[in-house]
Amino acid sequence: MTLPDVYSDDADEDPPPQEPEVSKRSRGVALLLSFFGGVFGLHRFYAEKPRTAIAMIFTFGGCGIWYLYDLVLIAAGEFRDGEDLPLRNWGLSESSFAHHRLVGRAEQRVAELEEQFDGLRQQFNDLAERVDFAERMLAQQRESPRPQLPRGS
C-alpha cells in the first residue's frame, strides 16, 4: 500500500510563494494624470492603452462617466495597463538599466576620488619629508658653534 502525496516527506516542502505580477508603472502617476487629464485619457496613454485613450479624447472621458470610473479603479488599485497587469505600486520603479548605469557611474566616481586621495596623500608625505629636512638643517645650524676669530695682540 502506498501513501498519498499528502503524507509523503516531500509534501513538507512548500514551493516558495510567488508574488503576483504588477505593472512597472506607478499608480500615483496614473492617479495624478487621471485626475488632471482624465477626460483626455492621459492616464491611459501612460498605461499604454492608446486606443481607449483616443476614444476618451473624442468622448471627453465618456461625458465624465468613464473618467470617474477610471479614477475609482486607479485609486482602488484595480486599473490595468496594456499588458493586463494591475497598477498597484505607488512609487516609480527604476529600470534595471538605469540602476546599473547609476551604480557604474558611482563606482567610477569612487575610483576617481580614491585616485585623487592617493595623490593628495603622496603630496602630503613629500611635504612632510621636506619640512622634516628643513627642521633638521635649522637644528644643526643652532647647535654648531660659531667660529671665533683669533685675537690679535
Side-chain angles (χ1 to χ4, degrees):
M1 183 164 129
T2 61
L3 293 173
D5 289 337
V6 175
Y7 296 109
S8 70
D9 290 335
D10 295 338
D12 293 340
E13 299 173 10
D14 292 330
Q18 294 181 353
E19 294 182 22
E21 284 192 53
V22 295
S23 177
K24 64 183 178 186
R25 287 163 194 81
S26 169
R27 182 170 152 196
V29 171
L31 187 64
L32 286 173
L33 288 172
S34 177
F35 184 76
F36 291 110
V39 292
F40 303 112
L42 294 181
H43 60 288
R44 288 189 170 264
F45 281 114
Y46 175 69
E48 292 185 357
K49 293 183 166 187
R51 291 180 184 153
T52 55
I54 292 170
M56 284 190 85
I57 290 172
F58 288 126
T59 62
F60 293 105
C63 295
I65 296 170
W66 194 1
Y67 157 72
L68 290 175
Y69 178 74
D70 278 357
L71 194 64
V72 170
L73 279 181
I74 294 170
E78 295 300 319
F79 189 77
R80 295 183 176 270
D81 66 3
E83 298 169 356
D84 203 34
L85 297 173
L87 275 71
R88 299 255 166 90
N89 297 329
W90 285 102
L92 294 173
S93 64
E94 240 183 67
S95 69
S96 60
F97 173 73
H99 177 70
H100 291 302
R101 185 172 47 104
L102 290 175
V103 168
R105 285 184 25 195
E107 289 175 355
Q108 181 183 9
R109 183 66 179 144
V110 167
E112 290 173 3
L113 289 173
E114 285 177 347
E115 287 177 18
Q116 289 176 354
F117 183 72
D118 288 340
L120 288 173
R121 181 181 296 150
Q122 183 62 38
Q123 288 178 357
F124 179 77
N125 289 339
D126 291 345
L127 184 61
E129 285 179 23
R130 289 180 183 178
V131 168
D132 186 44
F133 178 75
E135 286 177 347
R136 279 188 272 137
M137 294 300 287
L138 288 172
Q140 275 182 349
Q141 284 181 348
R142 288 185 198 142
E143 291 175 3
S144 63
R146 292 186 181 166
Q148 295 192 7
L149 296 172
R151 292 187 183 188
S153 356

